[in-house]
Amino acid sequence: MEVLATLILRFKKTILVGMLLGTAICLVLMQMVTINESLSAYLPEDSPSTRALSVMGESFEGDLPNLNLMVEDLSIPEALALKETLLAIDGVSAVMWLDDVLDIHSPLELADPATVESWYKDGAALFMVTVDGDRAETIVPAVRAAAGEGAALSGDAVNSEQVKNITSTEMGKIMAFAVPLVFIVLLLTTNSWLEPFLFGVVIGVAILFNE
């Protein structure tokens, strides 16, 4: 320990310059770090859900639907109009509904009831939407606004949007309450008023280095 302390004191300027350069580099690189909020990406490879997603990806062309939208009190023409509205949203690549599995211009009473009720039942329409998961925090609110009040949304894209919103909100609350509290405790328990600020700088630099 004495040897290490001696080396640190001897090369303190070099160490300080190196830390400052490292901090500056980390500030730039942290802007390039992306976070995967897709909960399915963290499932074990041998889990049933992961295997099912793999089989679906191999069986169907294009991306898999990652958002389910149910809107009540819709007629067939209104549901078709809403489908076109959803397709016009930037980031929505596909929308599946009843018209993709049967001819809706024929009487629905003649179609298979189970198939019809999977997409349209008692005036409620269920859409399967494929959106860009990397932009879920902006696309999901746009889908929600297009569907109107009372619409129900679920799926991986909705989970990603909620995770991002909750994370940013909770982190703001933690920073607003925890950081001042820690500094107050350190001011009361340390021998110098400068120590809490040095502690904060050290912790901040460590966080930047780990981003």
Side-chain angles (χ1 to χ4, degrees):
M1 291 299 294
E2 292 182 1
V3 175
L4 179 60
T6 302
L7 291 174
I8 291 175
L9 291 174
R10 180 180 299 176
F11 300 103
K12 57 181 180 294
K13 292 183 179 179
T14 303
I15 294 174
L16 178 60
V17 172
M19 293 296 294
L20 291 175
L21 287 175
T23 302
I25 293 173
C26 289
L27 280 172
V28 176
L29 294 180
M30 68 182 294
Q31 307 301 323
M32 306 177 187
V33 176
T34 58
I35 301 174
N36 188 358
E37 282 89 4
S38 176
L39 300 181
S40 61
Y42 300 96
L43 293 173
E45 294 184 358
D46 57 348
S47 69
S49 298
T50 303
R51 292 199 299 268
L53 289 172
S54 178
V55 171
M56 291 179 65
E58 295 172 357
S59 302
F60 297 94
E61 297 181 358
D63 295 330
L64 296 175
N66 53 359
L67 188 153
N68 300 319
L69 170 67
M70 188 187 75
V71 184
E72 297 180 336
D73 299 326
L74 285 183
S75 63
I76 297 293
E78 289 173 338
L80 291 174
L82 177 57
K83 179 179 178 179
E84 295 301 319
T85 301
L86 295 174
L87 285 170
I89 296 175
D90 182 28
V92 174
S93 57
V95 179
M96 291 184 61
W97 189 57
L98 181 62
D99 60 316
D100 293 302
V101 295
L102 56 81
D103 182 10
I104 60 173
H105 299 291
S106 300
L108 295 182
E109 292 77 10
L110 301 179
D112 178 26
T115 302
V116 175
E117 292 181 358
S118 297
W119 301 92
Y120 189 68
K121 182 178 180 180
D122 299 330
L126 175 64
F127 302 89
M128 298 181 66
V129 188
T130 304
V131 308
D132 184 354
D134 294 333
R135 295 189 291 150
E137 70 276 12
T138 58
I139 301 174
V140 172
V143 171
R144 188 178 287 112
E149 295 184 2
L153 290 84
S154 66
D156 195 50
V158 179
N159 294 335
S160 297
E161 181 228 7
Q162 292 177 345
V163 168
K164 290 181 179 180
N165 291 338
I166 292 174
T167 300
S168 60
T169 301
E170 294 302 319
M171 285 302 297
K173 293 180 180 179
I174 291 173
M175 295 297 292
F177 292 99
V179 173
L181 181 61
V182 169
F183 270 93
I184 292 174
V185 172
L186 289 174
L187 284 172
L188 295 175
T189 56
T190 54
N191 297 323
S192 172
W193 62 268
L194 187 60
E195 290 183 22
F197 296 98
L198 291 176
F199 178 80
V201 170
V202 172
I203 294 299
V205 171
I207 292 173
L208 287 176
F209 273 38
N210 284 278
E211 281 289 338

